[in-house]
Amino acid sequence: WVFPDGSKEKILEVGDESFHNTALSNEYTRVLKVKFGPKETTSAHRHAEDSLYFFLVDGGLDVVNHIKGSDPACDCMEFGEVRYGTHKTDKPLVHKITNMNDCDMLCIDAEVIKSPPITSPFPLVANHHELIKTRARCRVYTLVLEPGQTVAVNYAFFYLTIVLKGSKIKTELGSGGPTISWKSDMGLGDLEWHSPTMSVKLTN
């Protein structure tokens, strides 16, 4: 990448960029946790897979996004905002990002690599769940449980969970017979890949 002042920078694969750290990887997705400080700028890097971006900066995020071939541009993302980039079905994204906030930038980048063996042709309909984004290869839902609330649901598909607000969650599996349960302390940005899970009960 040759800049207008004549300086040059090597374009890295996104997984090799120092602020993009792989948190989870399998044949279906690679999930990168992106975190860096105020006024810091990433190295030039390339996104080559279709990707979901989850922005997790309380109060919102202000950045300067410098895309190769364009002038640097300001951009703003609200807390919990989800974007989808067609970096494989369209064209790769090559850019640098500067964090203009006075706090750390935090974003989860989930690459949509391959469809898992079990998917659902229809959107999930379940209490406390809201479908917020639909694309050809994925859907995004929010699950909100107030303290003391419980939801019973069947997740008849493989799925990724990302925590937007920390809490202690009780998970119970099974119905109409023996059950198993456990409690998990979940923090902002925690993530996990799940196999299909039937008759699950979640309590905040």
Side-chain angles (χ1 to χ4, degrees):
W1 187 348
V2 180
F3 297 96
D5 63 1
S7 61
K8 299 179 182 180
E9 186 172 344
K10 180 181 178 180
I11 298 170
L12 303 173
E13 194 277 328
V14 62
D16 295 329
E17 204 283 323
S18 60
F19 294 135
H20 291 69
N21 296 300
T22 301
L24 182 156
S25 182
N26 57 38
E27 62 184 304
Y28 312 116
T29 186
R30 178 176 63 165
V31 185
L32 304 163
K33 187 171 287 190
V34 188
K35 186 175 183 179
F36 54 98
K39 308 308 183 287
E40 289 190 309
T41 301
T42 67
S43 301
H45 58 279
R46 177 187 293 104
H47 297 266
E49 297 286 349
D50 292 351
S51 300
L52 284 161
Y53 299 95
F54 301 82
F55 298 97
L56 304 179
V57 177
D58 190 22
L61 173 65
D62 294 320
V63 302
V64 173
N65 186 12
H66 189 180
I67 298 174
K68 189 175 185 289
S70 302
D71 292 332
C74 296
D75 198 359
C76 302
M77 301 84 164
E78 296 180 358
F79 176 83
E81 183 175 342
V82 181
R83 297 185 182 182
Y84 187 74
T86 53
H87 312 318
K88 186 170 185 177
T89 55
D90 187 8
K91 63 180 181 180
L93 169 66
V94 177
H95 71 158
K96 295 162 62 82
I97 290 281
T98 300
N99 175 15
M100 301 306 294
N101 279 41
D102 294 325
C103 60
D104 285 352
M105 187 266 207
L106 179 59
C107 172
I108 305 297
D109 172 3
E111 296 179 334
V112 183
I113 298 173
K114 176 184 173 183
S115 293
I118 299 176
T119 60
S120 174
F122 306 109
L124 174 70
V125 178
N127 290 335
H128 303 289
H129 292 72
E130 179 184 0
L131 178 63
I132 63 169
K133 189 171 289 289
T134 300
R135 294 295 183 266
R137 303 174 66 196
C138 58
R139 299 186 185 100
V140 180
Y141 304 85
T142 55
L143 166 60
V144 178
L145 291 176
E146 300 296 338
Q149 284 188 328
T150 297
V151 63
V153 62
N154 294 319
Y155 293 120
F157 42 79
F158 287 81
Y159 60 104
L160 173 71
T161 56
I162 298 172
V163 177
L164 300 186
K165 186 174 182 180
S167 189
K168 178 172 284 188
I169 299 296
K170 178 183 178 182
T171 303
E172 185 175 351
L173 297 179
S175 64
T179 63
I180 59 172
S181 65
W182 65 93
K183 294 180 180 179
S184 305
D185 288 314
M186 298 183 175
L188 175 69
D190 287 351
L191 53 93
E192 187 175 355
W193 179 258
H194 304 262
S195 296
T197 310
M198 307 301 287
S199 300
V200 60
K201 185 183 292 184
L202 302 171
T203 302
N204 183 4

Short mmCIF file of all heavy atoms in Angstrom, two decimals, residues 31-56:
data_model
loop_
_atom_site.label_atom_id
_atom_site.label_comp_id
_atom_site.label_asym_id
_atom_site.label_seq_id
_atom_site.Cartn_x
_atom_site.Cartn_y
_atom_site.Cartn_z
N VAL A 31 -13.17 -16.37 14.83
CA VAL A 31 -13.64 -15.20 15.55
C VAL A 31 -12.44 -14.46 16.11
O VAL A 31 -11.62 -15.01 16.86
CB VAL A 31 -14.61 -15.59 16.68
CG1 VAL A 31 -15.17 -14.32 17.34
CG2 VAL A 31 -15.74 -16.45 16.15
N LEU A 32 -12.32 -13.19 15.73
CA LEU A 32 -11.22 -12.34 16.15
C LEU A 32 -11.74 -11.30 17.15
O LEU A 32 -12.78 -10.67 16.92
CB LEU A 32 -10.60 -11.62 14.95
CG LEU A 32 -10.11 -12.54 13.83
CD1 LEU A 32 -9.90 -11.75 12.55
CD2 LEU A 32 -8.83 -13.24 14.23
N LYS A 33 -11.02 -11.14 18.25
CA LYS A 33 -11.34 -10.09 19.21
C LYS A 33 -10.39 -8.92 18.95
O LYS A 33 -9.17 -9.07 19.00
CB LYS A 33 -11.21 -10.60 20.64
CG LYS A 33 -11.70 -9.62 21.69
CD LYS A 33 -11.76 -10.25 23.09
CE LYS A 33 -12.91 -11.21 23.23
NZ LYS A 33 -13.11 -11.65 24.64
N VAL A 34 -10.97 -7.77 18.64
CA VAL A 34 -10.19 -6.60 18.25
C VAL A 34 -10.23 -5.58 19.38
O VAL A 34 -11.31 -5.10 19.75
CB VAL A 34 -10.74 -5.96 16.96
CG1 VAL A 34 -9.81 -4.87 16.45
CG2 VAL A 34 -10.98 -7.03 15.89
N LYS A 35 -9.07 -5.26 19.93
CA LYS A 35 -9.02 -4.32 21.05
C LYS A 35 -7.74 -3.50 20.96
O LYS A 35 -6.66 -4.06 20.84
CB LYS A 35 -9.08 -5.08 22.38
CG LYS A 35 -9.17 -4.18 23.61
CD LYS A 35 -9.35 -5.01 24.88
CE LYS A 35 -9.51 -4.12 26.10
NZ LYS A 35 -9.70 -4.90 27.35
N PHE A 36 -7.90 -2.16 21.02
CA PHE A 36 -6.72 -1.30 21.06
C PHE A 36 -7.10 0.05 21.65
O PHE A 36 -8.28 0.40 21.76
CB PHE A 36 -6.03 -1.18 19.70
CG PHE A 36 -6.90 -0.73 18.56
CD1 PHE A 36 -6.92 0.59 18.15
CD2 PHE A 36 -7.68 -1.65 17.86
CE1 PHE A 36 -7.69 1.00 17.07
CE2 PHE A 36 -8.46 -1.25 16.78
CZ PHE A 36 -8.46 0.09 16.39
N GLY A 37 -6.09 0.80 22.06
CA GLY A 37 -6.29 1.97 22.89
C GLY A 37 -6.66 3.23 22.14
O GLY A 37 -6.70 3.27 20.90
N PRO A 38 -6.92 4.30 22.90
CA PRO A 38 -7.30 5.59 22.31
C PRO A 38 -6.22 6.11 21.37
O PRO A 38 -5.03 6.06 21.67
CB PRO A 38 -7.45 6.50 23.53
CG PRO A 38 -7.70 5.58 24.68
CD PRO A 38 -6.93 4.33 24.37
N LYS A 39 -6.66 6.60 20.22
CA LYS A 39 -5.81 7.22 19.19
C LYS A 39 -4.81 6.26 18.58
O LYS A 39 -3.95 6.68 17.80
CB LYS A 39 -5.08 8.45 19.75
CG LYS A 39 -5.99 9.47 20.44
CD LYS A 39 -7.16 9.90 19.59
CE LYS A 39 -8.03 10.98 20.25
NZ LYS A 39 -8.85 10.48 21.35
N GLU A 40 -4.92 4.98 18.88
CA GLU A 40 -4.05 3.99 18.23
C GLU A 40 -4.63 3.61 16.87
O GLU A 40 -5.84 3.70 16.64
CB GLU A 40 -3.89 2.75 19.10
CG GLU A 40 -3.03 2.97 20.33
CD GLU A 40 -2.69 1.68 21.04
OE1 GLU A 40 -3.61 0.89 21.32
OE2 GLU A 40 -1.50 1.44 21.31
N THR A 41 -3.75 3.16 15.97
CA THR A 41 -4.14 2.80 14.61
C THR A 41 -3.64 1.40 14.29
O THR A 41 -2.50 1.04 14.62
CB THR A 41 -3.55 3.79 13.58
OG1 THR A 41 -4.02 5.11 13.88
CG2 THR A 41 -3.97 3.43 12.16
N THR A 42 -4.48 0.61 13.67
CA THR A 42 -4.06 -0.73 13.25
C THR A 42 -3.04 -0.64 12.12
O THR A 42 -2.92 0.39 11.46
CB THR A 42 -5.26 -1.55 12.75
OG1 THR A 42 -5.76 -0.96 11.54
CG2 THR A 42 -6.38 -1.60 13.78
N SER A 43 -2.36 -1.72 11.90
CA SER A 43 -1.58 -1.86 10.68
C SER A 43 -2.54 -2.10 9.51
O SER A 43 -3.70 -2.49 9.71
CB SER A 43 -0.61 -3.04 10.80
OG SER A 43 0.28 -2.86 11.88
N ALA A 44 -2.07 -1.87 8.30
CA ALA A 44 -2.88 -2.17 7.12
C ALA A 44 -3.16 -3.67 7.08
O ALA A 44 -2.25 -4.48 7.27
CB ALA A 44 -2.15 -1.73 5.86
N HIS A 45 -4.42 -4.04 6.86
CA HIS A 45 -4.75 -5.47 6.86
C HIS A 45 -5.91 -5.74 5.92
O HIS A 45 -6.66 -4.86 5.54
CB HIS A 45 -5.08 -5.95 8.28
CG HIS A 45 -6.21 -5.22 8.94
ND1 HIS A 45 -6.04 -3.99 9.54
CD2 HIS A 45 -7.52 -5.53 9.08
CE1 HIS A 45 -7.20 -3.58 10.05
NE2 HIS A 45 -8.12 -4.49 9.76
N ARG A 46 -6.04 -7.04 5.58
CA ARG A 46 -7.03 -7.47 4.58
C ARG A 46 -8.03 -8.43 5.22
O ARG A 46 -7.67 -9.43 5.85
CB ARG A 46 -6.33 -8.17 3.42
CG ARG A 46 -7.28 -8.74 2.36
CD ARG A 46 -6.56 -9.55 1.31
NE ARG A 46 -5.66 -8.73 0.49
CZ ARG A 46 -4.35 -8.70 0.61
NH1 ARG A 46 -3.75 -9.46 1.54
NH2 ARG A 46 -3.61 -7.94 -0.17
N HIS A 47 -9.33 -8.13 5.02
CA HIS A 47 -10.42 -9.05 5.37
C HIS A 47 -10.86 -9.75 4.09
O HIS A 47 -11.30 -9.08 3.15
CB HIS A 47 -11.60 -8.29 5.97
CG HIS A 47 -11.32 -7.58 7.25
ND1 HIS A 47 -11.55 -8.16 8.49
CD2 HIS A 47 -10.83 -6.34 7.49
CE1 HIS A 47 -11.23 -7.29 9.44
NE2 HIS A 47 -10.79 -6.17 8.86
N ALA A 48 -10.76 -11.07 4.04
CA ALA A 48 -11.07 -11.79 2.81
C ALA A 48 -12.24 -12.76 2.95
O ALA A 48 -12.60 -13.45 1.99
CB ALA A 48 -9.84 -12.57 2.32
N GLU A 49 -12.85 -12.83 4.14
CA GLU A 49 -14.03 -13.66 4.37
C GLU A 49 -15.22 -12.78 4.72
O GLU A 49 -15.06 -11.75 5.39
CB GLU A 49 -13.78 -14.66 5.51
CG GLU A 49 -12.68 -15.67 5.26
CD GLU A 49 -13.07 -16.77 4.28
OE1 GLU A 49 -14.28 -16.87 3.93
OE2 GLU A 49 -12.18 -17.52 3.86
N ASP A 50 -16.42 -13.18 4.28
CA ASP A 50 -17.62 -12.49 4.74
C ASP A 50 -17.62 -12.49 6.27
O ASP A 50 -17.32 -13.52 6.89
CB ASP A 50 -18.88 -13.18 4.22
CG ASP A 50 -19.04 -13.04 2.71
OD1 ASP A 50 -18.27 -12.27 2.10
OD2 ASP A 50 -19.93 -13.70 2.15
N SER A 51 -17.96 -11.37 6.88
CA SER A 51 -17.77 -11.23 8.32
C SER A 51 -18.89 -10.46 8.98
O SER A 51 -19.44 -9.51 8.41
CB SER A 51 -16.44 -10.50 8.62
OG SER A 51 -15.33 -11.21 8.09
N LEU A 52 -19.21 -10.87 10.21
CA LEU A 52 -20.09 -10.11 11.10
C LEU A 52 -19.22 -9.35 12.08
O LEU A 52 -18.28 -9.90 12.65
CB LEU A 52 -21.02 -11.05 11.87
CG LEU A 52 -22.21 -11.64 11.10
CD1 LEU A 52 -22.73 -12.88 11.82
CD2 LEU A 52 -23.31 -10.60 10.96
N TYR A 53 -19.56 -8.07 12.29
CA TYR A 53 -18.82 -7.23 13.23
C TYR A 53 -19.77 -6.81 14.36
O TYR A 53 -20.84 -6.24 14.09
CB TYR A 53 -18.26 -5.99 12.53
CG TYR A 53 -17.29 -6.32 11.42
CD1 TYR A 53 -17.73 -6.41 10.10
CD2 TYR A 53 -15.95 -6.53 11.69
CE1 TYR A 53 -16.83 -6.70 9.08
CE2 TYR A 53 -15.05 -6.83 10.67
CZ TYR A 53 -15.49 -6.92 9.37
OH TYR A 53 -14.62 -7.22 8.36
N PHE A 54 -19.37 -7.06 15.60
CA PHE A 54 -20.15 -6.70 16.77
C PHE A 54 -19.36 -5.63 17.54
O PHE A 54 -18.24 -5.91 18.02
CB PHE A 54 -20.37 -7.93 17.67
CG PHE A 54 -21.08 -9.06 16.98
CD1 PHE A 54 -20.38 -9.96 16.17
CD2 PHE A 54 -22.45 -9.24 17.14
CE1 PHE A 54 -21.03 -11.01 15.54
CE2 PHE A 54 -23.11 -10.29 16.50
CZ PHE A 54 -22.40 -11.17 15.70
N PHE A 55 -19.93 -4.45 17.68
CA PHE A 55 -19.22 -3.33 18.31
C PHE A 55 -19.65 -3.20 19.77
O PHE A 55 -20.84 -3.09 20.08
CB PHE A 55 -19.48 -2.04 17.54
CG PHE A 55 -18.96 -2.11 16.13
CD1 PHE A 55 -19.79 -2.42 15.07
CD2 PHE A 55 -17.61 -1.90 15.88
CE1 PHE A 55 -19.31 -2.50 13.77
CE2 PHE A 55 -17.11 -1.99 14.58
CZ PHE A 55 -17.96 -2.29 13.52
N LEU A 56 -18.67 -3.20 20.68
CA LEU A 56 -18.94 -3.36 22.10
C LEU A 56 -18.32 -2.25 22.94
O LEU A 56 -17.81 -2.50 24.04
CB LEU A 56 -18.41 -4.72 22.58
CG LEU A 56 -18.94 -5.95 21.82
CD1 LEU A 56 -18.33 -7.23 22.37
CD2 LEU A 56 -20.46 -6.02 21.87
#
